[in-house]
Amino acid sequence: VRRGRPARAMGYRGRAMSGRGDVKKEMRRLRDLGYEVSRSRRKGHWHVYRDGVLVAVAPGTGSDVRGMRNFEHMLRNRSCAR
């Protein structure tokens, strides 16, 4: 750890997370790829649908690193045709 500067929380893929900014960019990218993306009213989680079927649920903020990793895993496994 460097002296003088606080350690930054590292996000998924080894990047520093900026809170909701990175999550919003990811959701925008998924929308451009043809997924339907909505935000829950109560908890603030993101729901990702493909052809009306729930594919994955993402955390509302980028601070939930484990949640983002789980989201990427769910999206990768459930959205691919086997």
Side-chain angles (χ1 to χ4, degrees):
V1 178
R2 292 185 222 164
R3 292 183 183 211
R5 292 180 66 183
R8 293 175 68 184
M10 296 304 287
Y12 67 105
R13 296 184 189 161
R15 297 189 309 230
M17 299 296 286
S18 66
R20 293 187 179 183
D22 288 343
V23 177
K24 282 185 178 180
K25 287 178 189 175
E26 188 74 19
M27 295 304 129
R28 203 171 300 129
R29 187 177 69 83
L30 287 172
R31 250 188 219 123
D32 292 342
L33 291 173
Y35 289 89
E36 301 166 34
V37 178
S38 65
R39 188 123 191 226
S40 70
R41 292 181 184 171
R42 293 185 67 193
K43 302 283 186 177
H45 292 83
W46 294 91
H47 296 256
V48 179
Y49 298 90
R50 184 67 169 199
D51 300 326
V53 178
L54 181 65
V55 177
V57 178
T61 63
S63 63
D64 187 3
V65 178
R66 172 69 64 188
M68 284 306 293
R69 286 182 183 157
N70 289 341
F71 166 70
E72 286 184 336
H73 187 261
M74 279 192 295
L75 190 65
R76 186 172 49 243
N77 286 341
R78 294 182 184 175
S79 65
C80 298
R82 294 183 182 203

